[in-house]
Amino acid sequence: EEGEEEDDDDQMLADLGMTPRGHNMPPANSHTILVIDNSASMKQRDVKNTDKRAPADAPLMRRCDALTATLTQHFFEAQQIDGANRLDLISCVRMEEGQAKVLCALTPFPEARAQLLAPPSSAQGGQATLKAGPRGEGFYLAVLEKVYGLGVAARKKIVQNACTTVLFFSDGRPSDPMERVVVAAGHSVTRRREADYATWISDSLIPKACDHVWNLWLALGADRRRLQFHCVGFGNSPGDFDVLRRLASRIPDGAGHFNNTRLDLYQLQSSIVSFSTSLTSTRTATASTKRRRELRTVHMKQFESRFTKYYKAKIYESPEPGLFGARATQIGEVDVEIADGAFESGGERNVFMMRFLRRTELFQTVPDAQGRQQQFKTFEAEASEEWVVKEDKHAKISDNNDLEFHDKSLVTQRTAAVLAEKFNELCEEKSLSVPKVKYLDAFLLVTTQPTRRQFFAERKLETTFQKWNTNNGTVVKSVRPAPPPPPPPAGADADGWSAVGGARRPGGDASWAGSAEYPAEEWELT
């Protein structure tokens, strides 16, 4: 019976015009379906080039060029850095000329990346590339039929708990033709008035489109761990993306996502980064039982007291908050020594002890308001001051990949620090009795002598640590023993609670802000 189901899935692939994946291939760890709008509207040159590395007077970009460049850097390159390999499958459907063209189906990531990013003139890529020129109209229903077929066909090609992740990208409303309304035997008419078309979209197209998504959800076990559906609307008119909103909202349990990205390159990059990061997190959480990249050879919990000196190591500060994809800025050179053995290992990095060989001060010279050159101290460390440095635990692909890996971590930490400061300010404004949140300043350290290595570096904290969340974002709940209940105060309900400012607390006056028995963080939100 199982063999018959696999044959049915292979037949579905054949119906899509694609060659079934070989039965002797091991099951894959993930399946990503890219739906790319390549209709004529994608030719429009109206995207602001707000990339931080672009000049202030950079010309407007075509929508298709902005999308291709963003997918190249922030999806394909990012996924390669995050460990995507032949056990990660890519399917791609292009929406153009009123058709849904399957460019690749259940193709291993390396081959799919090479094919989809090939130039249109390439004999290998031909028209099966993301760089083919936009043309014609974009029909949603035809595309969603293909997405359903690809999702179902992949069920026996991926491990049981692996996730199928869909990115449905469009820059406007669907162009599907209205169904013909039969008025007499052998005759039909097609209404073309705008009001009628809007009604048809609402009453006919949206329900049918949602049915395709719902059926895929059911086919994959109605399980958010097995299906994530991301819709991205690329345009400045939110009303153009009602269909995408409905598609995302049709899938329950937080498995559907919608993002309206304006015609702005930085916003588009942020949206694709968010999708790629979500894909990596889902893949790691659902299919991480297999080792994805070869690990570096390292002395773990050995030779921690033996140090190697590194002279003139370059030290870099983080890019600005939110600038994912930007490179760190060098602020100077330092002399340090790093332990030969790692004292700890996390999900992505090995952790070593580092000490400065001498007192270190770094300065930056900038002009003041009158144009006079002024020096500002940008970095300071004492001799023998202890830091911790973290190195990618996986085998090196290239120096650029290692740099991008650390740059992302730096930007993430700096962005989190800015958000933490805003959180602290809001708490002070509202007179909330909560602990302040602060992040350490982090740097990139690159050594060249005696060996070239790259580290994420930050000062060492002497304290007791409590891990509150996993690398995948799961919150670790801390449970305190329940104290004995106090006698119910006047005005309390049957459970001994009284309402204060949208929260419930053990009985008392409205100025209560926590105590040893009932700390403020144990309030129960209602």
Side-chain angles (χ1 to χ4, degrees), residues 89-298:
L89 306 181
I90 300 290
S91 299
C92 185
V93 185
R94 198 170 63 202
M95 182 165 52
E96 62 184 20
E97 295 184 322
Q99 302 177 48
K101 295 184 178 180
V102 180
L103 305 187
C104 61
L106 280 65
T107 304
F109 176 84
E111 287 90 329
R113 178 175 180 267
Q115 174 193 324
L116 295 175
L117 300 184
S121 59
S122 167
Q124 176 189 5
Q127 289 301 305
T129 169
L130 295 179
K131 299 182 180 180
R135 58 179 71 83
E137 297 178 309
F139 291 1
Y140 277 28
L141 291 180
V143 164
L144 289 169
E145 288 178 7
K146 300 291 189 184
V147 169
Y148 172 80
L150 289 164
V152 171
R155 290 180 302 184
K156 294 297 181 180
K157 313 300 180 184
I158 57 181
V159 296
Q160 186 174 5
N161 65 333
C163 187
T164 292
T165 305
V166 180
L167 172 65
F168 193 117
F169 178 95
S170 178
D171 71 338
R173 302 177 182 181
S175 301
D176 298 59
M178 286 173 49
E179 296 173 325
R180 293 183 176 275
V181 180
V182 177
V183 294
H187 299 278
S188 64
V189 297
T190 303
R191 296 175 295 175
R192 291 294 183 185
R193 295 194 306 275
E194 182 67 25
D196 290 334
Y197 189 71
T199 300
W200 178 76
I201 290 284
S202 174
D203 295 347
S204 182
L205 185 143
I206 288 180
K208 288 185 176 181
C210 287
D211 282 346
H212 286 306
V213 175
W214 179 251
N215 289 335
L216 178 59
W217 168 253
L218 295 179
L220 297 180
D223 186 344
R224 68 187 306 270
R225 295 170 301 177
R226 298 183 61 193
L227 177 65
Q228 291 287 309
F229 204 99
H230 298 256
C231 295
V232 175
F234 189 39
N236 296 337
S237 301
D240 288 346
F241 305 112
D242 292 341
V243 178
L244 292 184
R245 286 190 185 87
R246 291 288 296 275
L247 290 179
S249 64
R250 184 65 182 96
I251 307 179
D253 200 22
H257 315 270
F258 171 76
N259 185 15
N260 184 188
T261 299
R262 299 182 66 81
L263 297 172
D264 178 290
L265 181 60
Y266 179 72
Q267 286 198 24
L268 177 61
Q269 291 172 343
S270 299
S271 181
I272 298 302
V273 165
S274 176
F275 165 73
S276 183
T277 302
S278 173
L279 172 59
T280 298
S281 177
T282 302
R283 182 178 67 225
T284 302
T286 59
S288 61
T289 55
K290 301 179 181 178
R291 191 173 68 181
R292 306 193 54 76
R293 283 171 55 192
E294 184 178 352
L295 299 179
R296 295 178 191 262
T297 301
V298 64

Side-chain angles (χ1 to χ4, degrees), residues 396-417:
K396 178 186 288 188
I397 297 176
S398 69
D399 284 337
N400 283 338
N401 284 341
D402 276 4
L403 285 171
E404 187 160 351
F405 171 80
H406 290 300
D407 285 344
K408 285 183 178 179
S409 298
L410 290 173
V411 177
T412 299
Q413 184 141 325
R414 189 163 184 183
T415 304

Side-chain angles (χ1 to χ4, degrees), residues 21 25 72 228 259 301 337 347 382 413 433 472 486 497:
R21 179 177 163 89
M25 295 291 290
T72 299
Q228 291 287 309
N259 185 15
K301 299 187 184 298
E337 56 181 8
E382 298 295 332
Q413 184 141 325
S433 178
N472 297 322
W497 293 88

Side-chain angles (χ1 to χ4, degrees), residues 458-472:
E458 57 189 3
R459 283 180 167 84
K460 179 185 176 184
L461 287 178
E462 294 290 350
T463 184
T464 301
F465 292 90
Q466 166 68 49
K467 190 173 180 66
W468 294 105
N469 61 274
T470 69
N471 288 342
N472 297 322

Side-chain angles (χ1 to χ4, degrees), residues 409-464:
S409 298
L410 290 173
V411 177
T412 299
Q413 184 141 325
R414 189 163 184 183
T415 304
V418 172
L419 295 176
E421 285 298 319
K422 292 181 180 178
F423 172 82
N424 296 336
E425 293 170 4
L426 287 173
C427 289
E428 289 183 3
E429 292 174 6
K430 298 178 181 296
S431 300
L432 298 179
S433 178
V434 296
K436 287 191 175 182
V437 181
K438 184 177 180 180
Y439 283 79
L440 292 173
D441 291 331
F443 301 84
L444 170 65
L445 186 78
V446 179
T447 68
T448 55
Q449 296 177 7
T451 57
R452 181 175 179 83
R453 301 174 71 182
Q454 299 172 12
F455 299 92
F456 179 98
E458 57 189 3
R459 283 180 167 84
K460 179 185 176 184
L461 287 178
E462 294 290 350
T463 184
T464 301

